[in-house]
Amino acid sequence: MIAETANGRLERPSDPCAIVIFGATGDLTKRKLLPSLYNLVCNGLLPSEFAFVGVARRTLTDAGFREAMGQALREFATRPVEARVWDDFSSRLHAVTGDLDDLSTYRRLGERLAELDREHRTGGNALFYLATPPDAFAPIVERLGAAGLTAEDGGRWRRVVVEKPFGRDADSAHALDEALKRVLREEQIFRIDHYLGKETVQNILVFRFANGIFEPIWNRRYVDHVQITVAEEIGVEGRGLSYDRAGALRDVVQNHVFQLLALVAMEPPSSLGAEAVRGEKTKVLEAVRPMSHEEILQWAVRGQYGEGFIDGHKVSAYRQEPGVPPASMTETYAALRLQVENWRWAGVPFYVRSGKRLDRRHSSVSIQFKAPPLTLFRGAGVAEIEPNRLDLHIQPDESIAIQMKAKRPGSSIRLAPVQLAFSYLDFGPLPSATGYERLLYDAMVGDSTLFHRADEVGAAWRVLTPVLDLWASLPARDFPNYPAGSDGPESARELLRRDGRRWVDLE
């Protein structure tokens, strides 16, 4: 089956391959990866020559693994599960049990892959997905290499998908990169960020570079400032222990938020090839100026949620979440004022924020343009005109809107705000998806455009590590400083007020 994407590229089923998931019984596999692969099967984008291998510590037979995955799919599938499709799909599910620290586990995995190559004609190709805690990334790759499972010989390919976070700071990210590259080439490493699988995120490139009316004004001459928001209603959802080692900066800002910033601010690439796109994104992140200690104190805000109400229901404070220390200093909210010091964006502030347990779930990019240079409508009682604004809504509703002014009907001049809006629903019902389908497919066909490159990761950490270091050395005195169900701490609003601006309130 051939499918056509929004950018006109014709898609074919991926190459024959085995998909090997480490951490196969975990939440990520059940909630996202398994439903995504099932959707790819339904869309004709997985070949008939594939196998799915789950590697886990818990003893599992093939039959037991298939039963567990069947229950998970019935719970988390984004479309009805068809018995005929599932019967064929499940026959390709296999389990390998063993300790991930034991090299013999990887040798057994190699033997199983050879058997499945003969049974399912996978061509010796394998995609290894590390759905494990971050501290297991380097040891797993080291043992894959020691067992000979990463060698690309005889025309076969071997690739590794690494989940975020990519390190905890600049030094640990560099150490992880070195560990991976002792075994793998950069072309074999796919650092995944599920945010880049969202339609509106991918559409930023199309919106900017396929419409000639925006590029001439997409710069410091016409743009006043940019806001990027990733807000969540949920708390840590049982991830208290792991989240407390990360926090909002590491968990969301370093990856999701910085990728949005790069897509909005990048120069036009020479092509849509992976290296051209990723090269321009990296240049943007390298142009973001790290802040001094004094600037961090002024332009970086952190917060932690206390008790509050979400949808009328009382919810606990962060420090009361399971696994969170009772005096935790980990931030659940972060806001920064950043400067991209290049020719296009010099002097244009980029305000970014992300937090948990906020009043609603929404992610967006807002580009506010400069106000008209002359107010012509004072005689009509208009002393000041609200600047035009372009809003890119990423979730929960994927849409784009331009805020403008128009004259109300009547004999006098009265101005009114109007909105020119486009929603993805205008194309019809959106396909059932988890957001991982695009990324899994691209990894299987070897397209790394939507994945992080090593120097992108390093550039992001270069900006954030000074903030993390200062916050670690100066524990917050006011935590918790915003109630659950609010829009964040007062200091975040003050961050923009000092510049004579305010956060955009997108409904």
Side-chain angles (χ1 to χ4, degrees):
M1 175 181 176
I2 301 294
E4 186 172 353
T5 62
N7 66 8
R9 186 176 72 181
L10 293 178
E11 291 184 340
R12 56 170 177 80
S14 67
D15 296 335
C17 69
I19 301 164
V20 182
I21 297 184
F22 291 89
T25 58
D27 269 3
L28 178 61
T29 300
K30 295 175 182 177
R31 292 174 180 270
K32 300 295 183 182
L33 303 183
L34 179 68
S36 299
L37 290 170
Y38 180 79
N39 289 340
L40 288 174
V41 169
C42 293
N43 292 333
L45 294 176
L46 274 187
S48 56
E49 305 86 7
F50 82 93
F52 180 115
V53 182
V55 182
R57 287 187 171 90
R58 180 157 57 91
T59 302
L60 280 175
T61 63
D62 284 358
F65 183 55
R66 290 165 185 169
E67 175 62 26
M69 292 298 99
Q71 292 176 4
L73 187 63
R74 286 190 289 273
E75 183 176 358
F76 298 114
T78 61
R79 64 172 74 202
V81 178
E82 299 179 29
R84 177 186 56 81
V85 177
W86 171 246
D87 286 346
D88 178 69
F89 184 80
S90 64
S91 70
R92 303 172 186 280
L93 269 58
H94 306 271
V96 171
T97 299
D99 189 332
L100 299 185
D101 296 327
D102 187 347
L103 185 58
S104 65
T105 301
Y106 299 81
R107 293 191 175 120
R108 288 199 305 277
L109 173 61
E111 293 169 358
R112 195 65 186 275
L113 288 174
E115 294 172 5
L116 296 177
D117 184 15
R118 294 188 291 270
E119 180 180 346
H120 296 296
R121 305 187 307 280
T122 61
N125 301 321
L127 179 71
F128 300 101
Y129 197 116
L130 309 188
T132 64
D135 56 5
F137 294 165
I140 289 174
V141 170
E142 179 184 349
R143 290 175 179 85
L144 284 172
L149 297 180
T150 59
E152 296 184 314
D153 49 33
R156 72 183 186 183
W157 54 258
R158 296 291 169 97
R159 300 175 187 138
V160 176
V161 179
V162 181
E163 270 283 347
K164 72 174 184 70
F166 315 115
R168 289 182 48 80
D169 52 25
D171 290 341
S172 60
H174 180 69
L176 174 60
D177 186 56
E178 284 193 328
L180 297 179
K181 288 182 178 173
R182 282 195 288 268
V183 178
L184 303 164
R185 294 177 294 107
E186 174 67 24
E187 293 76 15
Q188 292 177 276
I189 305 170
F190 288 72
R191 302 171 189 84
I192 194 168
D193 184 345
H194 72 270
Y195 239 65
L196 295 182
K198 295 181 181 295
E199 285 289 350
T200 309
V201 174
Q202 296 176 52
N203 197 45
I204 291 174
L205 289 181
V206 177
F207 184 81
R208 284 192 58 192
F209 302 130
N211 296 293
I213 64 173
F214 295 109
E215 182 58 24
I217 60 172
W218 208 264
N219 55 56
R220 58 186 169 81
R221 295 181 183 87
Y222 298 96
V223 175
D224 179 77
H225 71 277
V226 177
Q227 296 183 22
I228 299 174
T229 297
V230 178
E232 299 177 287
E233 276 188 319
I234 61 172
V236 293
E237 302 294 287
R239 294 173 53 224
L241 189 61
S242 61
Y243 186 89
D244 201 66
R245 292 196 292 262
L249 271 184
R250 291 185 175 97
D251 192 50
V252 177
V253 176
Q254 187 272 338
N255 37 77
H256 300 341
V257 170
F258 271 38
Q259 284 296 304
L260 292 174
L261 186 154
L263 288 168
V264 168
M266 66 186 278
E267 294 296 320
S270 59
S271 73
L272 288 180
E275 292 313 301
V277 173
R278 299 200 296 179
E280 294 301 338
K281 288 198 298 178
T282 301
K283 289 178 186 177
V284 171
L285 297 180
E286 289 175 342
V288 178
R289 178 170 58 84
M291 291 183 279
S292 67
H293 284 186
E294 293 73 18
E295 289 171 326
I296 293 169
L297 293 173
Q298 184 176 9
W299 300 117
V301 168
R302 52 182 158 168
Q304 187 187 92
Y305 65 83
E307 291 183 341
F309 292 85
I310 300 287
D311 293 330
H313 300 287
K314 188 173 183 179
V315 296
S316 300
Y318 173 72
R319 292 176 176 181
Q320 297 169 339
E321 299 276 11
V324 175
S328 171
M329 286 289 112
T330 298
E331 81 284 354
T332 62
Y333 181 102
L336 306 169
R337 181 190 192 270
L338 302 172
Q339 295 284 347
V340 179
E341 294 192 333
N342 60 20
W343 196 264
R344 180 184 292 263
W345 296 111
V348 177
F350 283 70
Y351 302 100
V352 304
R353 59 176 172 169
S354 178
K356 288 190 173 293
R357 283 294 190 212
L358 298 176
D359 52 354
R360 64 186 183 281
R361 170 179 175 257
H362 71 107
S363 297
S364 62
V365 177
S366 293
I367 295 95
Q368 182 160 307
F369 295 94
K370 292 183 177 180
L374 184 64
T375 302
L376 298 175
F377 304 101
R378 287 193 178 92
V382 180
E384 185 178 346
I385 295 179
E386 188 80 10
N388 301 123
R389 196 180 73 234
L390 172 66
D391 298 323
L392 307 173
H393 299 258
I394 295 164
Q395 64 179 17
D397 301 315
E398 296 183 302
S399 61
I400 298 172
I402 301 176
Q403 314 296 327
M404 304 181 69
K405 289 291 185 294
K407 176 185 174 295
R408 288 185 181 275
S411 57
S412 61
I413 295 181
R414 291 185 300 152
L415 274 60
V418 296
Q419 186 180 87
L420 305 180
F422 154 78
S423 169
Y424 271 88
L425 292 175
D426 295 340
F427 286 130
L430 297 178
S432 300
T434 67
Y436 276 79
E437 291 86 356
R438 165 91 266 163
L439 301 171
L440 286 170
Y441 175 83
D442 282 357
M444 286 185 279
V445 300
D447 184 348
S448 56
T449 305
L450 298 178
F451 295 84
H452 295 249
R453 202 168 66 184
D455 50 356
E456 284 183 73
V457 174
W461 281 123
R462 179 184 62 88
V463 176
L464 292 184
T465 295
V467 182
L468 291 165
D469 289 346
L470 185 62
W471 283 0
S473 66
L474 294 175
R477 298 178 180 178
D478 59 348
F479 279 4
N481 61 355
Y482 71 96
S486 69
D487 64 351
E490 176 62 26
S491 52
R493 292 184 283 279
E494 179 61 26
L495 179 72
L496 269 71
R497 275 200 296 265
R498 286 199 297 270
D499 280 348
R501 301 181 177 104
R502 60 180 176 81
W503 291 108
V504 174
D505 184 18
L506 296 179
E507 295 297 339

